[in-house]
Amino acid sequence: MSVSTNMIAEGELRLRLDRFQWWALAAGGLGLFLSLAAWSLWPEQFWPSYLVAYVFWVGLALGCMGLTMLHHLVGGSWGLVVRRPMESGGMTLLPLALLFVPLALGLSQLYPWARPEEVAHDPQLQHKSLYLNVGFYLVRTVGYFVIWLVFASVLNRLSSDQDRRADHRPSGKLQWLSGPGLVLLFLTGTFSAIDWLMSLEPHWSSTIYGCLVIVGEALATLAMMIAVVVFLSADQPMAEATTPDRLNDLGNLMLTFTILWAYMSFMQYLIIWCGNLPEEIPWYLRRTRGGWQWVALALSLFHFFLPFFVLLFRESKRQSRLIVQVAILVLAMHWVDLIWLVVPASSDPASPRIPWVELPLSLVAMLGIGGLCTAFFIGHLKGRPLIPLNDPHLNEVIEHAGGLGQR
Amino acid sequence: MTHRDPESDSAAEASPVLAPGHTYGTVTDKISALVLVRPYNWRWFLGLGVGFALTMMLLLAITVLLVHGVGIWGVDVPVMWGFAIVNFVWWIGIGHAGTLISAILLLLKQDWRTSINRFAEAMTLFAVACAGLFPLLHLGRPWVFYWLLPYPNTMALWPQWRSPLIWDVFAVSTYATVSLLFWYVGLIPDLATLRDRAKNRWAGYIYGFLAMGWRGSARHWHRYRTAYLLLAGLATPLVVSVHSVVSLDFTVAILPGWHSTIFPPYFVAGAIFSGFAMVVTIAVPLRAAYGLHDFITTRHLENMAKVMLATGLIVAYGYLMEAFTAWYSHDPYERFVQLANRPFGPYAHTYWMMLTCNVFIPQLLWFRSVRTSALGLWVLAFFVNIGMWLERYVIVITSLHRDFLPSSWAMYHGTVWDYATYYGTLGLFLSLMFLFIRFLPVISISEMRELVHETEQDQERRAEQLSTEGTVS
C-alpha cells in the first residue's frame, strides 16, 4: 500500500507551490498597497468593499474549520484529499485577525449605529445601543477570533500528532472535540454574521440570517477546496488520491450546499415578501431596484440554477476540468452575493443605485487580503504531509477500497 | 508503515449493523416467521385492543363533531387554531423520519438504515394518515373538502393560491402518495417471499396478489432497483418541502412569534427530531418483543441518537435565534411574545416543559452510555415526543391568545373532544402499527439478504488484505 510515503509536497509540486506562493504574496502586497491608496482617495466607498473582501476570506477560513470538524464527526472518503488543505485554510485566521484592525478604523463609515450624530436622533438606535456600540462590537469580535484561533490551532496540532503516533489517542480527541466545536463555531459564525453584516442595516433583522451566511460560506469553501485539490492533483501524491469518486463526493456536497443556500435565500425572500412589513421590506427594496434587480437575477441564475443543473449530472462531477469551472463560478457568485448583501445597505430604499466605483475597489481588496491569505495558506500546507497518514477513519476507507487510489 | 491491528480501529470497534453468523436463510426465516409462523399471543391482542378502543373513541369524537360542528372544540376568538393544527403539525413531523431514513439515507449509502427503514416508512404512512384528518375535520364541513382542489365548477370557486394552506393540500397529498408508493414498491420482493413460504392457502393467495407476479428474475430486480432509486430521488426534496410549507402556514402571517424567517429550516429539523424519537419509541419495544437484537443493533440505536442530538441542537438554535432577534430588533410585540408572554405568561409552564423536553434533556445524548442504552434512549425519546407536541402548542396558542388588542385576550384550553380526537388518532396509529407488525415483514427481508452478502464480501476482502500485508512485512 502506498500510504507508506511521507506525502509531503516535493519535486515539481513543491516548485509550483513556491512559485504560486510568491505570486500570491506579490499580489497581496500590491493589493494592500492599492487598498491603502483607495482608502485615502475614496474613504466612504472603500470600507464596504473592504468588508466584502474581508468577509469572503474569513468565511472560507471558517468554512474550512467547520467542514474539518464535520469530517471528524461523520468521516467519509472525501476527507482524505481535503483534510490538510482545510486545516491550513483554518489557520489563515491568523493573518485575517490582523487584517481586522483596519476595519476597526472604519466602523463609523460602515455602521449607522457607530455614528453618534445619527444615533442622537434615532430612538430605535438608542434602544439598540446596548448591543450595537463600538466597544461591545470590538469585544465580541476579539472573542470570536480567540475562540476560532484556539480551535484552529488545536485541530492542527492534534492532526499533526496523528501523523506521528501509532495509537489513536489524537484521533479520539479530535472526534471528541469536534461535536462541541461545531456547535461553538455555528454560534460564533452566526453572531459574527449578525455583527459584521446584518447590523449594516440596524433597523432590520431576520432570524435565518446567520444560517444563510454560514451556508454560503460552506458552499464557497467547498468550491475553493475543489479548486485547490485539482491544482494539487497534477502531481503525486494527490494525483493518486484524487479519484473521480472523491471528486464526485465533493461535487455532491457542493450540490447539497447549493440547494441549501437557494432554499434558505428563497424562504427568507418569500416570508418577507408575504409579510410586506415596513421594518422588513426595505432590505429587499434596496436590493431589487436601481440595477440591483439584475444582480439579484444573476444570483438566482448563476449562484443556483446553473451550478445546480450542471452538478445534477454524475459525469460533470467526475471530470476535474468541468468541476473546477463550476467551483470557480460558485466562488465568483459568492463574491457577488456578498456585494449584494453589503453594498446596497447604505443606500436609500426609495432610490438605490449601484455604485460602480466600489467594484474595482472590492477587487483590489480581494486581491490584497486574498493574496496574503493564499501565501500563508501555501506556506502552511507545504510544511506537512498533504494526506493525513494515520487517521483511523481514512485508513479504513483506504483499506476498504483496496488502496489509496482505488475507488 | 506503522502496523495497525484492525480490531482496534474505531470503525471496527463500533457494533455491526448485523450481528455476525447470519446467512440468507436465517435472515429470511427469522423475519418471515414473525408473520407466517408465530402464533397470535395475548400481548399482541392487548396492544391492538388498546389501539382499537382508542380508535373507537376517535370515531365517536368525529361523529359528535359532524353533528354539532367545531364548536365542541376549545377554539374560539382569539385562538382559532387549537389542537387541530397542533396535532396536524406534530403528526406530519413524525412522518419525516421515515422518509429521511428510506430516501436520503439510501442515497447516502448508509447501510444501517436497512433494518429500520420498513417500519419507519410504515410509521410515516400512518402518521400522515392521522395528520391529514385534522385539517379536514377543522374545515367545519369536511364533506366538501374537495373545494380545496382547483377544479372547474359552476360555483366559480377557485382556491386562493397565495395561501400556504392550499400549498399544504398539495404538499401533504404528494407526500402521502410518494410515501405510499415507496413503501409498497419496497415491499414487493418481500411479499413474494411470503407468498412462497405461506403454508396457509389464503395467505398465499393474498400475498401473491399483492406481490404482483414478482418472480425475482434479473430483469425484475433491474427494474425494481431503478424504480426504487427514482422514488428515493423524488422523496428526498419532500423531506424538506413538506414541513417548510407547513411552517409557511405560520410565517406568512405577520403575527409576532409566527413571522420568523428561521421557521422553515427549524421546522424541518424539528420534524426529523420528533420523527426519530418516534422511530426509537417503536424500535426499542419491537426488538425486545420479537428478539430482533441481531438486526436492530446498538449501532442503530446510537446512530438514531446522534441524529436526534444534531436535529435537537438545530431546534435549540431556532429557539435561541427567535429570542435573540426579538431582543435585538426591539420590536415591542415580538419582545412581548418571545421574552415576556411565552416564558413568564400564563402558559409559562408549557414553555418551560417544552424547553426541558426538547433542549435540556436531549443534551444527555452527548454521553455514549445514554446513546447505547436501549431503555435510557427510549425514555428520552418519549420526552422528545412530548416536547415536540408542546412546541407546536406554544407556537400556536401563545401567539394567538394575546393578540394586538388586549380587550380580546383570552385563555385557550382543549375540551374533552379535543383530547378524545387527539388520543383517538394515537389509537388509530397504534392499531395500524400492530396490524402491520402482524401481517407484513417489519424488516425488509430482501435488503437484509443484501446486507448479509455485503458483510461477507467485506470480511473476505479484509482477510485477504491482512494476509497480503502479512507477506509484505
Side-chain angles (χ1 to χ4, degrees), chain B residues 128-267:
Chain B
V128 173
C130 292
L133 276 177
F134 286 102
L136 288 181
L137 294 177
H138 204 182
L139 287 175
R141 287 182 289 165
W143 48 91
V144 290
F145 72 93
Y146 55 89
W147 287 2
L148 288 167
L149 299 171
Y151 71 106
N153 57 55
T154 51
M155 299 175 290
L157 203 64
W158 198 246
Q160 165 60 280
W161 288 105
R162 282 194 179 184
S163 164
L165 297 174
I166 288 303
W167 310 343
D168 255 354
V169 174
F170 288 90
V172 175
S173 54
T174 314
Y175 186 48
T177 314
V178 173
S179 303
L180 180 67
L181 275 176
F182 201 49
W183 182 67
Y184 188 70
V185 169
L187 263 173
I188 289 175
D190 285 7
L191 289 169
T193 305
L194 293 180
R195 170 198 64 196
D196 299 341
R197 297 188 142 231
K199 298 278 192 294
N200 178 315
R201 187 137 68 108
W202 282 103
Y205 282 149
I206 294 170
Y207 287 127
F209 175 75
L210 292 172
M212 302 209 295
W214 178 269
R215 280 173 285 108
S217 70
R219 179 172 296 197
H220 280 181
W221 278 111
H222 176 69
R223 293 274 154 79
Y224 167 84
R225 282 253 165 190
T226 314
Y228 203 61
L229 274 178
L230 272 178
L231 280 171
L234 274 177
T236 300
L238 289 176
V239 177
V240 177
S241 69
V242 179
H243 230 62
S244 296
V245 170
V246 170
S247 80
L248 290 175
D249 292 346
F250 299 101
T251 48
V252 301
I254 50 174
L255 225 52
W258 284 11
H259 185 71
S260 172
T261 47
I262 192 88
F263 261 38
Y266 133 73
F267 262 51

Side-chain angles (χ1 to χ4, degrees), chain A residues 190 206-207 263 280 399-400, chain B residues 244 259-261 317 458 465:
Chain A
T190 299
S206 166
T207 42
Y263 163 72
E280 287 183 343
E399 211 166 272
H400 190 83
Chain B
S244 296
H259 185 71
S260 172
T261 47
Y317 176 85
D458 206 42
Q465 249 161 33

Side-chain angles (χ1 to χ4, degrees), chain A residues 122-180:
Chain A
D122 189 333
Q124 186 80 1
L125 288 185
Q126 284 161 21
H127 285 307
K128 289 191 170 183
S129 63
L130 193 60
Y131 184 79
L132 294 178
N133 61 68
V134 175
F136 194 24
Y137 175 97
L138 292 177
V139 168
R140 286 196 304 269
T141 300
V142 170
Y144 303 145
F145 271 104
V146 167
I147 293 172
W148 294 338
L149 284 173
V150 165
F151 266 95
S153 52
V154 169
L155 284 175
N156 269 282
R157 169 111 32 88
L158 287 172
S159 185
S160 300
D161 267 6
Q162 211 177 29
D163 285 350
R164 283 192 293 269
R165 292 169 68 141
D167 64 344
H168 293 317
R169 269 178 64 93
S171 317
K173 277 189 198 159
L174 277 170
Q175 217 173 359
W176 183 86
L177 199 73
S178 289

Side-chain angles (χ1 to χ4, degrees), chain A residues 186 189-190 193-194 206-215, chain B residues 317 321:
Chain A
F186 210 90
T190 299
I194 291 172
S206 166
T207 42
I208 204 175
Y209 196 82
C211 274
L212 188 55
V213 171
I214 290 173
V215 165
Chain B
Y317 176 85
M321 277 300 113

Side-chain angles (χ1 to χ4, degrees), chain A residues 1 3-4 73 124 127-128 130-132 165-166 168 175 179-180 183 186-187 190-191 194 198-211 214 249 263-264 267-277 279-280 390 392-393 395-396 398-403 407, chain B residues 1-6 8-12 109-110 162 164 167 240-241 243-245 247-248 251-254 258-266 268 306 313-314 317-318 320-332 335 366 454 458 461-462 465-466 469 472:
Chain A
M1 272 163 52
V3 193
S4 43
L73 286 179
Q124 186 80 1
H127 285 307
K128 289 191 170 183
L130 193 60
Y131 184 79
L132 294 178
R165 292 169 68 141
H168 293 317
Q175 217 173 359
V183 173
F186 210 90
L187 286 176
T190 299
F191 282 98
I194 291 172
M198 196 167 96
S199 78
L200 286 166
E201 282 147 285
H203 297 99
W204 181 81
S205 57
S206 166
T207 42
I208 204 175
Y209 196 82
C211 274
I214 290 173
D249 285 351
Y263 163 72
M264 290 185 172
M267 283 299 159
Q268 176 178 285
Y269 179 66
L270 183 67
I271 290 167
I272 289 179
W273 177 81
C274 281
N276 203 15
L277 290 173
E279 63 264 30
E280 287 183 343
N390 205 18
H393 278 295
N395 280 331
E396 177 86 3
I398 297 169
E399 211 166 272
H400 190 83
R407 251 182 47 86
Chain B
M1 174 191 171
T2 51
H3 193 79
R4 292 169 309 106
D5 179 11
S8 71
D9 278 359
S10 66
K109 300 173 202 145
Q110 296 287 318
R162 282 194 179 184
W167 310 343
V240 177
S241 69
H243 230 62
S244 296
V245 170
S247 80
L248 290 175
T251 48
V252 301
I254 50 174
W258 284 11
H259 185 71
S260 172
T261 47
I262 192 88
F263 261 38
Y266 133 73
V268 172
K306 283 177 181 170
L313 286 171
I314 300 177
Y317 176 85
L320 176 72
M321 277 300 113
E322 277 189 298
F324 172 77
T325 310
W327 179 78
Y328 171 91
S329 74
H330 238 278
D331 179 292
R335 276 192 155 199
W366 286 102
E454 279 164 16
D458 206 42
R461 199 182 303 131
R462 208 179 263 278
Q465 249 161 33
L466 271 184
E469 244 172 68
V472 168

